[in-house]
Amino acid sequence: MRLINCLLLALACSSSNPCAAGNPAEPERHAADVADTWQEFQADRERHRFSGLASYYNGVRFYLVGEDILQPLKPGESFILDNGIFLAAVARFDVLLVQDPGLSLRLGERDSVIEDLKAQVEPDRIRVVEKSALYHISPALTQLQYAHLWAPLSELSKLVERCLIFIDTHTARNLGITIVIFTLLLKLLLFPVNVAIYRMQNEVGRIRSRLEPELTEIKASFDGEEAHNRIMAAHAGLGVTPFYSLRPLLGLMVLVPLWIAVFNALGEMPQFKGQSFLWIGDLAYPDIISVLPFHVPLLGSTVHLLPLIMAGVTGLSAWTLHNDQWSKAEYIRQRRNCYWMALAFLFLFYPFPAAMVLYWTLNNLLQIIVQLAVRTWLEGARR
């Protein structure tokens, strides 16, 4: 109960609270000159080159940012820095900041920007700052955190980050254990949503099992408008429309924004750098256990164990499916969907940081437990 109270307290934190800044022990790192600053900025990005969908982490985004401004910049765009305005190059963990009023620059390709900066900017006008320390430079710079997201999702991601920091500071003291606690608490808080989704999924399966024989017969015996009218009549006879199978998506509309926020927080929090857990050497990067002599499209050239465990857990959920009113065909369909989902998640998550894959693995494992608990509870209630 104390842990739940802690999480709820963290949820109440204001987005402007300095607690969102994390550990300020290293608020900024000045370099001897601009070239060294750029090299410092590049060093962490070049430690691991992500593949597939995770290659997003290899990029850099440029912004003009100030008290009342957050303007994305595109290659080829020209600008002049005003007083109080920063030029920010945002990477996964670090931000390169330039504050030089009057600076006129045309943004070239990412790696050519430094050549222009070296020629025009004094060394004391440029610095590299970890994202967790942006608040200590200027509260306005916190706009750069999750700036690529729609504003409500950005705020939700910051909220998730504060919750993770709060749990780690007050309970876990290990970010791997923090992810475990956070996933468990989140599952408990969302238990009513999961119950509603489970009920809707079971109802959809029940209706499909009842409709399937009749629809098969209609399609075999009728064509065109007559078949359409009979199909509509079959649905109406059960009090549903042909869109009844979309009902579970209503519950997912609650979960998907939260998943987006959690994945962005776990992928971009600099606190995960250098943090180990079990066999995972660094939660900020994939859990590499071997290196291949060739490159696999979308997956890269390294072998990761955690995504394989995750896919196995997702596939295991196929064996927890149960509904007395489902037809055999419905069971086969549902299990096939689970297997395809496991394969899709494997390819989707394989190149991503271990922190994200660990969360999704635990989430899927807890989902199996929740489904078993809900099924047992509902069956007991019916008796």
Side-chain angles (χ1 to χ4, degrees):
M1 182 61 68
R2 181 187 175 190
L3 290 178
I4 295 177
N5 290 336
C6 288
L7 182 62
L8 292 175
L9 179 61
L11 289 172
C13 285
S14 165
S15 62
S16 62
N17 193 324
C19 72
N23 182 5
E26 297 181 9
E28 59 182 89
R29 303 185 298 277
H30 292 283
D33 53 43
V34 176
D36 287 345
T37 303
W38 182 259
Q39 291 170 5
E40 179 185 9
F41 180 64
Q42 292 282 67
D44 187 68
R45 295 180 53 247
E46 294 176 351
R47 173 179 170 180
H48 177 85
R49 301 297 291 178
F50 289 92
S51 301
L53 294 177
S55 59
Y56 165 83
Y57 291 126
N58 300 330
V60 175
R61 300 179 301 277
F62 291 89
Y63 297 88
L64 295 181
V65 59
E67 192 67 37
D68 300 311
I69 182 175
L70 179 64
Q71 178 186 338
L73 296 173
K74 299 178 181 178
E77 191 169 352
S78 300
F79 62 89
I80 299 176
L81 285 184
D82 296 328
N83 283 322
I85 303 299
F86 293 86
L87 167 64
V90 182
R92 184 185 174 200
F93 295 135
D94 294 331
V95 179
L96 184 144
L97 293 172
V98 177
Q99 190 176 30
D100 191 1
L103 173 66
S104 177
L105 193 67
R106 181 180 180 276
L107 193 68
E109 293 300 321
R110 182 187 66 214
D111 292 334
S112 67
V113 173
I114 189 59
E115 299 301 324
D116 298 323
L117 293 177
K118 282 196 298 185
Q120 300 187 49
V121 181
E122 294 297 324
D124 61 350
R125 300 285 185 172
I126 188 169
R127 71 188 94 181
V128 175
V129 181
E130 197 173 76
K131 283 183 178 179
S132 60
L134 287 171
Y135 183 90
H136 297 278
I137 306 300
S138 169
L141 293 176
T142 58
Q143 297 178 86
L144 295 171
Q145 292 179 289
Y146 314 107
H148 57 287
L149 295 175
W150 181 44
L153 290 177
S154 174
E155 293 303 315
L156 188 56
S157 298
K158 293 176 184 178
L159 183 60
V160 169
E161 179 173 329
R162 290 197 297 274
C163 290
L164 288 165
I165 293 173
F166 187 90
I167 293 171
D168 184 63
T169 302
H170 293 83
T171 60
R173 300 287 181 175
N174 178 286
L175 281 169
I177 297 175
T178 294
I179 294 174
V180 175
I181 296 173
F182 174 81
T183 308
L184 178 59
L185 293 177
L186 198 57
K187 212 62 173 175
L188 290 174
L189 291 173
L190 294 174
F191 185 77
V193 177
N194 283 284
V195 171
I197 293 175
Y198 181 84
R199 282 176 164 167
M200 287 187 284
Q201 288 174 334
N202 275 352
E203 181 66 11
V204 166
R206 182 186 67 80
I207 294 172
R208 184 181 286 127
S209 296
R210 293 182 61 183
L211 278 173
E212 197 170 62
E214 187 174 356
L215 295 182
T216 300
E217 184 178 345
I218 291 173
K219 292 175 183 178
S221 305
F222 302 95
D223 294 313
E225 186 176 353
E226 179 68 16
H228 172 74
N229 291 336
R230 288 178 177 270
I231 288 173
M232 294 301 293
H235 284 87
L238 293 177
V240 298
T241 72
F243 302 104
Y244 72 94
S245 61
L246 300 180
R247 287 178 181 175
L249 293 180
L250 297 176
L252 290 177
M253 289 175 64
V254 176
L255 298 178
V256 169
L258 187 55
W259 288 339
I260 293 173
V262 171
F263 290 150
N264 276 274
L266 293 176
E268 297 190 26
M269 284 178 60
Q271 289 87 348
F272 284 107
K273 286 193 299 182
Q275 296 292 310
S276 61
F277 182 66
L278 301 177
W279 72 91
I280 305 168
D282 195 330
L283 286 164
Y285 301 94
D287 62 321
I288 300 173
I289 59 174
S290 183
V291 179
L292 299 173
F294 52 86
H295 182 88
V296 180
L298 299 180
L299 301 181
S301 59
T302 52
V303 179
H304 315 156
L305 176 59
L306 193 54
L308 300 176
I309 297 175
M310 177 204 66
V313 170
T314 305
L316 181 64
S317 64
W319 297 96
T320 66
L321 298 172
H322 179 77
N323 191 314
D324 293 334
Q325 300 184 56
W326 283 2
S327 65
K328 182 178 180 180
E330 182 64 19
Y331 267 117
I332 294 174
R333 180 185 295 110
Q334 293 290 346
R335 285 190 173 180
R336 183 174 62 244
N337 289 344
C338 285
Y339 295 142
W340 278 114
M341 189 180 300
L343 186 61
F345 283 156
L346 175 61
F347 280 93
L348 176 65
F349 282 99
Y350 190 85
F352 277 87
M356 293 174 59
V357 185
L358 176 62
Y359 164 77
W360 195 242
T361 303
L362 293 169
N363 180 76
N364 290 345
L365 181 60
L366 290 173
Q367 185 62 27
I368 293 175
I369 297 173
V370 167
Q371 285 181 345
L372 291 173
V374 171
R375 187 179 75 196
T376 302
W377 175 51
L378 292 178
E379 288 177 352
R382 283 197 295 266
R383 295 192 188 99

